[in-house]
Amino acid sequence: MSQTTTLTFDALTALICEIFVKAGFSPRAAGSLAATIAAGERDACKSHGVYRIEGCLRTVKAGKVAPAAEPAVEDEGGAIIRVDAANGFSGPAFDLGAPLAAERAKKLGVAALVINRCTHFSALWPEIETLTGMGVAALAMCPSYATVAPAGGAKPLLGTNPIAFGWPRPGGNPYVFDFATSVAARGEIELYRRAGRQLPEGWGLDAEGRPTTDPAEALAGAMLPFGGHKGSAISTMVELLAGAMIGDLTSAEALDYLGTTALAPHHGELILAFSPERFAAGRRGDPFARAEVLFEAIAGQGARLPSQRRFTARAKAMAEGIVLSAEEMALMERLREGGLDAVA
Ligand code: NDP
Ligand code: PYC
């Protein structure tokens, strides 16, 4: 087995932050992105962990994202709060808008945080957990770039379009699910390619539209939506709500803008925040207590709740540290040393 290095969460975050600052990111953007990537490693979500750093730098070098952009809030006091990411990464824009969305949801019952003109490369659960930590339920979604064929088709059109939901649980970890609307995230397929492993059946098509288990062929061809026509329709909904409706790019337009899938995608994001107390006011029962009954009934059948694997990995990593491979450490060292010169 190759040599590994164990870092604390804080040490890994600081190392990634240093790479970004040296590459010209603002301290705000560097801190936000580093925390998200380190959280991916901490929670054993490698498809959005350390390997994404290089893609972020590549996107900066290609001039497709502004690493020191300052996001700006447009808020008229209603249910819609917009943050213009100003062609920067989504993280700083989310950090700015999230407290406003949570506060507005508590006042009105529901609020929408719309992020425009951002590069979004990350998992959605860190955003969802920020909002559940503020006491609201949340639903987030965004396009990506056209890599997924609609059910019945064979050419990339939809994105891997993630959708995530969270519900706060008093005194414990929230209920959270977060998944691509493709069978698997593109990042997951990329990790299969790097490991020289074949994909499970049903994940992708080659460039001629034939089923393939070769990750390189699926990356060059088309990925498939989860659940056939059902995932295809949910993915289309994401294009509509978090693309067309918010006046931002669809996945097909994002691919046109980038011209490649080797860079992190540029588009918008829609995040809805709900106050369960406001919706349930004057009606039967406490929504949080009723949710606990449901969660216990699910677990009572031997099923696991989504994010349980992640929370278990998190507890272990916080107690014992985050284990990184020699290749991952070498990558970070190379990027810290060389900055933008180290990426193609
Ligand atoms: P997975 O299929 O690995 O997991 C999806 C969700 O299902 C997780 O919440 C997971 O919880 C849960 N889950 C998995 N297995 C079970 C089970 N047996 N019982 C109950 N729950 C289960 O995710 P994907 O590959 O689809 O997506 C991975 C990540 O990629 C997501 O975080 C997503 O946001 C991100 N992504 C980001 C994109 C972007 O454009 N920014 C595009 C596409 C994806 P657990 O984690 O605990 O296993
Ligand atoms: O893993 O599918 C993915 C992805 C696309 C953009 C960011 N992550």
Side-chain angles (χ1 to χ4, degrees):
M1 206 169 93
S2 73
Q3 201 188 347
T4 60
T5 301
T6 303
L7 296 181
T8 63
F9 174 68
D10 288 347
L12 177 58
T13 307
L15 173 56
I16 301 170
C17 193
E18 190 185 338
I19 295 169
F20 285 140
V21 168
K22 281 193 165 173
F25 288 54
S26 65
R28 187 213 284 253
S32 180
L33 270 61
T36 298
I37 290 174
E41 290 293 336
R42 179 200 63 197
D43 283 19
C45 293
K46 289 200 110 37
S47 70
H48 289 79
V50 154
Y51 106 83
R52 293 276 174 178
I53 302 170
E54 192 166 10
C56 292
L57 298 194
R58 229 186 280 126
T59 312
V60 171
K61 190 167 180 176
K64 296 291 186 184
V65 63
E70 282 301 323
V73 175
E74 296 165 27
D75 180 14
E76 293 171 355
I80 301 175
I81 295 147
R82 277 185 189 272
V83 183
D84 177 9
N87 288 327
F89 286 96
S90 58
F94 175 83
D95 296 343
L96 202 58
L100 293 171
E103 169 245 289
R104 199 62 47 80
K106 287 177 188 171
K107 186 166 160 209
L108 302 178
V110 62
L113 173 58
V114 172
I115 300 177
N116 285 116
R117 296 204 299 153
C118 70
T119 288
H120 197 299
F121 69 90
S122 58
L124 299 185
W125 56 259
E127 299 171 349
I128 290 291
E129 285 188 33
T130 296
L131 286 163
T132 56
M134 294 173 179
V136 293
L139 180 65
M141 64 192 81
C142 65
S144 51
Y145 31 43
T147 51
V148 179
K155 296 281 175 222
L157 176 65
L158 305 168
T160 49
N161 301 359
I163 184 157
F165 170 78
W167 178 274
R169 299 183 70 185
N173 286 319
Y175 173 90
V176 178
F177 71 72
D178 176 16
F179 49 74
T181 48
S182 44
V183 177
R186 192 167 179 83
E188 193 65 32
I189 298 190
E190 173 61 17
L191 294 182
Y192 270 80
R193 189 190 68 75
R194 289 176 185 218
R197 293 169 59 204
Q198 290 293 296
L199 300 175
E201 305 264 345
W203 283 30
L205 305 175
D206 68 16
E208 274 71 50
R210 293 175 302 227
T212 183
T213 56
D214 179 330
E217 285 185 0
L219 290 170
M223 298 165 64
L224 289 168
F226 83 94
H229 62 283
K230 300 180 186 182
S232 193
I234 293 175
S235 182
T236 305
M237 177 193 76
V238 174
E239 300 283 349
L240 295 173
L241 293 180
M245 185 180 84
I246 64 166
D248 219 305
L249 302 187
T250 62
S251 294
E253 291 164 344
L255 185 57
D256 280 350
Y257 169 76
L258 285 180
T260 172
T261 56
L263 305 176
H266 174 100
H267 45 69
E269 182 179 9
L270 176 66
I271 301 140
L272 302 174
F274 307 91
S275 163
E277 292 99 323
R278 293 278 299 170
F279 275 89
R283 300 195 61 84
R284 189 164 52 127
D286 169 1
F288 295 108
R290 295 181 70 192
E292 291 308 310
V293 173
L294 178 61
F295 300 145
E296 277 162 28
I298 292 170
Q301 294 195 14
R304 82 156 164 95
L305 295 179
S307 293
Q308 195 177 304
R309 177 200 63 88
R310 234 169 22 79
F311 292 138
T312 302
R314 182 182 304 181
K316 186 168 187 303
M318 292 311 280
E320 299 170 13
I322 300 170
V323 180
L324 295 147
S325 68
E327 292 75 21
E328 287 164 338
M329 291 305 295
L331 169 71
M332 288 192 282
E333 200 42 51
R334 180 166 65 77
L335 298 177
R336 178 164 62 172
E337 282 288 308
L340 296 185
D341 291 339
V343 295

